Amino acid sequence: MIKRARLRLSFLALVVLASVAGCSSADPTNLESIVDGDYPQNSLNPAGPQARQIDDLFWMVFWIAVAVFVLVMLAMLVAIVRYRHREGRDRPVKQVHGNTRLEIVWTIIPALILAFIAVPTIAAIFDLRSPPEPGDNALEIEVIGHQWWWEFRYPEYGFSTANEMHIPAGRPVFLSMTSVDVIHSFWVPQLNGKRDVVPGRISNLTIQADAPGVYLGQCAEFCGLAHADMRHRVFAHDEADFEAWALAQAQPALIPTEGPAAGGWDTFQLVCAACHAVDGTEATAQFAPNLTHFASRTSFGGATFDNTEEHLRQWLRNPSAMKPMDPDRNDLASGRILGMPDFGLTEEQIDGLIALLDSLK
Amino acid sequence: MATMNPVIEEAVAAPHGSGGLWSWVTTTDHKRIGVLYGVSAIMFFIVGGVEALLIRTQLALPNGDVLSADAYNQMFTMHATTMVFLVVMPAAAAFTNYFLPLLLGARDVAFPRLNALSYWVFFFGGLFLTISFFVGGAPDGGWFGYAPLSTQVGEVVRMDYWALGLQILGLASVLSSVNFITTVFTMRAPGMTLMRMPVFAWMAFVVSFLLLFSLPIVTVGLFQVFLDRNLGTLFFSAAGGGDPVLWQHLFWLFGHPEVYVLILPAMGIVSEVLPVFSRKPLFGRSFVIFSGIAIGFMGFGVWAHHMFTSGLGPVAEAAFALTTMFIAVPTGVKIFNWIATIWGGALRFKTPLLFSLGFIAMFVIGGLSGVTHSVVPADSQQHDTYYVVAHFHYVLFGGAIFGLFSGIYYWWPKITGKLLNERLGKVHFWLMLIGFNLTFAPMHILGLAGMPRRTYRYPKGLGFEFWNLIATVGSYVIALSIAVFLVNWWRTTRRGEAAGNDPWDGRTLEWTISSPPPHYNFDTVPLVHSEDPFWHEKYGEDEAGHAVPAVAASSGQPQAGLADEEIHMPSPSYYPALTAFGLFISLIGFVYVPVGLVAVAGGLLVTLWGLFGWSMEPLTRDGHE
Amino acid sequence: MSAVTHADPTEHAGHPPMPHVRKVAMWAFLGSECLFFGTLISTFLLYRNRTGDGPAAADLFDIPFTSISSFILLMSSLTMVLAHYASERKDARRMRIWLLATALLGMTFLAGQVFEFTEFVEHGLTVTTSPFGSSFFVLTSFHGGHVAIGVIMLLATAFMSFGGKLRSDGGMNVELVGLYWHFVDIIWIVIFTVVYLLQV
């Protein structure tokens, strides 16, 4: 009977695999070109002091839990094996009702184990929640959650970017976060735990990368249709490179005055400027990502698509075909923005826009 | 149905018989209501299971396109809503309805028609939620409906179906709770002190209080969501000065006691099954009872552990970390007592025992991952990832569902008079155990590796592919195991082995009567002298403390001379179903306000008609009360 | 020693009389209602100062007026007690009079609420003005709804007592309605204190 079930099982697995194999679409991101390692969002691969503190605490508790599990299961298995009733061998069973001393022991011991876990837990809570000291030279970044992209503002430098955060390695970065619509959650597992981003409130999180590298994350609070496509990338640089990046980002855009990009700028002002800003021009709307240095980014669309011409072209043709959105319900007056509409752009307009975006380095 | 005394049977002359749709619509018999709940729960289990399979199929491969994001969001919302409110709760209600009176030695619950109302309100609530699929889409904001996402798009009615559906289901539960609490307080057989009540009855009792006190809190919250969506109130609107996090508090003040509502009945079942199949009493019975009570109380003090990343502040986070850790203590007490129960016993590995043992193993895993959640900094990594999905499926599926299946196989013979096939039962158990662990164990890894919840797809390159595929395969194995159960049900109904009164050599009062029980349950109300009253009637103890058969005393044979006894059982009534139907119409009206106000008014009129007729109708038609 | 003997076949063994059973149920239900109103009041307490662009409590509340309507509701509890007392003594006529008096006082209270609400609306506080407005109106409206249901139950009880339709344990029905009515009154005392008196 069990053998037949096993056969059915393997057959089923094959059927499932075969039928499911055809049911996935092309990958819009090539993460291997961005990060090393197989698990770039792995919380158990800490890359900074906060994440490491959490990791240490977790493993301690984990091993205690494993020990408890092994002991309890051992007791159960011994009982199962030792006290099974064998046919024809009736054994008298002692009708034991209880043992108060045992009750006390197995109430106190778990309580003690928990108290042991509680102490470092509470210490870590307070530690991780305290903001950086002035002497730590923390960088301040404002994080604003939108449906379905991240806005990052750098008050020290005076610019705003989207979905890709650059930070200096080796010093803390203090995030002040809020949302303009629903609750999101900012999470870069290798750098710290997550923190919800709530409209009407400011929440804080300190992250720090020990070394330069790329650290991936994504929104971790269900926020609607494209929650799965609301990602972010954190690029840590050594101090000099970071400074160079930041100063470049603070520069206004230089709009080409001839060629296809110039035509693209005409289209932009007509169609895009209602929501997108380009610093140094009259496009100042902040409903959608700031595009001043779009070409310097590795991804777009909530860090979900690699920033390639092909992807851009697909996006401009029909954004909702790439990323699930509901722009028909956009209501700019009330601040409800559920994605980028399909503007019915011609191929020529798209060519122009792509040339323009390519120039916004 | 066989009873010992044909005169009694004739005197009672049940007007509802054993079949006919109308007899089911009008029944006030707690046993039939229990069957209604049970069948409904199994049907919704299949619905929720299909939703799960769709989710898993979508996630089997990266960038899946089996489901659109919109369909996916509806799937996970409805999968959770279905499993929590339309499967586990009604399944527990099925057992409580059927067996609470029997375990207490009573003929019915305190308010039989109110009991029927609870079922029909539940039924129409389930129907109401199901309708949403066909009228523009099911709720898609998560079963927890966080504001302001749940209040954001007022013109789409999906989340109105959600808010109102939960309200009506909550009403059914509150009415049941009042009924069961009253039943326990006032209808125990003579001699059955509270401490002699079976543990399942105790757990049902605690659960009733949990529901009674937690549901009103979310009721207010759901009204507030509904009003924000439809009237423009500003409860959760940040722009208007409201606080979205308030919703989280109100929801979880209900939501956490709710998870104890989901697990305690299953724990009660395990506490009944283990002693029977070990042939010794529950070890530390009063400790098991008191730990259930403790869990009930403490369950109201841990809610914000669902909100550790919301910005509670370190003091609140530390406080809730502590309360969450310490609720593990009474839980551990139960587990240790269960193991001590089987220790030294004579274990007969029938299917009910297998599922109860599976419960213990799976629940320990789920409980331990819960302890890791209480470590707030670790939780800031785990929260909203598949690690949490693993945790709660271990406690709710590995725990509650396994426990409920233990109850199904244990009590099936009493309800139907037939024993479910043992071999198929074992196949079901092993397939389900393997499939369950294949599905959910990898999710611990996925969560720690950085896969968030409620995501309709994931890209290549994050390392999620392998374990997602394994989990999907596991989910199909679970589906197979359920198919085995359904085959068992079918075959047993057609030609199952007759069970007799007491197939398991049971300990409690339900095994003293026929299978299925007569309409009036007991020929005469039993007089109780101890816990496990039936066991102590069958067995005494020798000097070494071993069980020995008791001197053959009266073992179920009613004395002659009881023939003239008249037993007044509540008559059937259609008013509960009618009242529930009126509420259903009103509810649909509320979804479509302001146009729907007509339906609201109409529905309320029907409800009032039902209530009025009910109040004028005597409980028992021959005039006795 | 046998544990289960089939003793005297009285079907009510261990089963107390119905009036007691209904009282247990009413108490359980009222326990639930405590949490319901507690949540509404907590929401109000959270939002009492979030007045947005609209008026605040101090701008609107007319404490003398509300004190009078509170007093009326309190008096209705007195008449309720008198109704119960009359029913215990099987004085159906007096019972009906006091039941109707209670209902009348309840309706007067409700009329006062309606008047107060229309005043607030005219002065710029509606349910959509601010979180204060939302929570105030939702809390007091739910309470008012409970009073209205109580009035209906009072009238129904009085009506059903005509022609002896009220069962011989008619005292019990009045007692149940009384429990509910007193509860609603106590909730109002809490609301009056927390919402009205402590704001101004």
Side-chain angles (χ1 to χ4, degrees), chain A residues 337-360:
Chain A
I337 299 171
L338 295 172
M340 175 163 147
D342 178 2
F343 292 103
L345 300 167
T346 65
E347 282 307 304
E348 201 190 319
Q349 288 175 306
I350 292 175
D351 287 338
L353 282 173
I354 289 182
L356 171 72
L357 290 170
D358 201 41
S359 76
L360 295 174

Side-chain angles (χ1 to χ4, degrees), chain C residues 97-138:
Chain C
I97 289 172
W98 289 122
L99 282 176
L100 286 169
T102 309
L104 215 65
L105 289 170
M107 289 191 276
T108 310
F109 170 82
L110 285 174
Q113 291 286 82
V114 171
F115 173 73
E116 201 179 62
F117 288 1
T118 46
E119 285 289 291
F120 290 175
V121 170
E122 271 168 39
H123 285 91
L125 184 74
T126 68
V127 79
T128 60
T129 309
S130 60
F132 165 69
S134 299
S135 53
F136 171 80
F137 280 113
V138 169

Side-chain angles (χ1 to χ4, degrees), chain B residues 361-379:
Chain B
M362 299 300 103
F363 186 80
V364 167
I365 296 175
L368 288 171
S369 63
V371 171
T372 64
H373 284 329
S374 73
V375 178
V376 176
D379 185 63

Side-chain angles (χ1 to χ4, degrees), chain B residues 107 110-111 174 178 182 185-188 190 212-213 216-217 219-220 223-224 227 231-235 240-243 246 250 509 524-529 533 536-537 553-554 556-557 559 562 565-568 616 625, chain C residues 1-16 18 20-22 24-29 31-33 35-37 39-40 43 46-47 50 52 127-131 134-135 138 142 159-160 165 167 169:
Chain B
R107 297 201 187 285
F111 303 107
V174 168
V178 170
T182 310
F185 273 131
T186 63
M187 298 186 70
R188 282 166 282 129
L212 193 70
F213 293 132
I217 301 173
T219 301
V220 170
F223 274 124
Q224 290 170 167
L227 290 172
L231 202 57
T233 50
L234 300 171
F235 288 106
D243 188 351
L246 173 65
L250 296 181
L509 290 173
T524 57
V525 174
L527 179 61
V528 169
H529 295 283
H536 290 291
E537 181 186 315
S554 59
Q557 304 276 354
Q559 294 130 15
L562 303 178
E565 174 56 29
E566 278 182 52
I567 302 174
H568 302 290
M616 301 309 300
E625 187 50 38
Chain C
M1 186 172 88
S2 102
V4 180
T5 59
H6 295 278
D8 294 328
T10 54
E11 76 188 43
H12 290 297
H15 183 152
M18 184 50 87
H20 174 67
V21 174
R22 291 219 187 103
V24 172
M26 178 56 83
W27 277 110
F29 170 66
S32 191
E33 291 268 78
L35 269 301
F36 181 75
F37 280 105
T39 307
L40 285 166
T43 302
L46 181 67
Y47 286 154
R50 303 198 191 192
V127 79
T128 60
T129 309
S130 60
S134 299
S135 53
V138 169
F142 267 116
F159 176 72
M160 288 196 321
K165 280 223 198 74
R167 288 172 278 273
D169 56 7

Side-chain angles (χ1 to χ4, degrees), chain A residues 8-45:
Chain A
R8 282 197 212 134
L9 214 148
S10 8
F11 176 66
L12 197 67
L14 275 163
V15 169
V16 168
L17 279 164
S19 53
V20 152
C23 301
S24 76
S25 46
D27 197 348
T29 354
N30 187 4
L31 286 175
E32 280 134 17
S33 64
I34 303 291
V35 286
D36 298 321
D38 295 325
Y39 302 99
Q41 278 179 200
N42 188 0
S43 63
L44 299 178
N45 184 13

Side-chain angles (χ1 to χ4, degrees), chain A residues 189-221:
Chain A
Q190 289 191 280
L191 300 184
N192 200 347
K194 64 186 66 69
R195 196 73 146 88
D196 286 359
V197 146
V198 181
R201 286 187 176 201
I202 300 196
S203 52
N204 295 111
L205 187 70
T206 305
I207 59 174
Q208 180 172 338
D210 289 333
V214 185
Y215 307 100
L216 302 185
Q218 61 185 109
C219 175
E221 181 58 61

Side-chain angles (χ1 to χ4, degrees), chain A residues 73-109:
Chain A
M73 285 302 105
L74 215 62
M76 199 172 98
L77 285 168
V78 168
I80 286 174
V81 169
R82 199 164 142 190
Y83 296 109
R84 66 188 310 144
H85 167 72
R86 278 160 246 273
E87 273 314 317
R89 283 161 63 178
D90 274 328
R91 181 177 26 89
V93 174
K94 194 141 181 268
Q95 304 291 294
V96 182
H97 291 267
N99 181 325
T100 307
R101 200 170 300 153
L102 212 50
E103 302 284 348
I104 294 173
V105 165
W106 64 41
T107 304
I108 301 255
I109 291 186

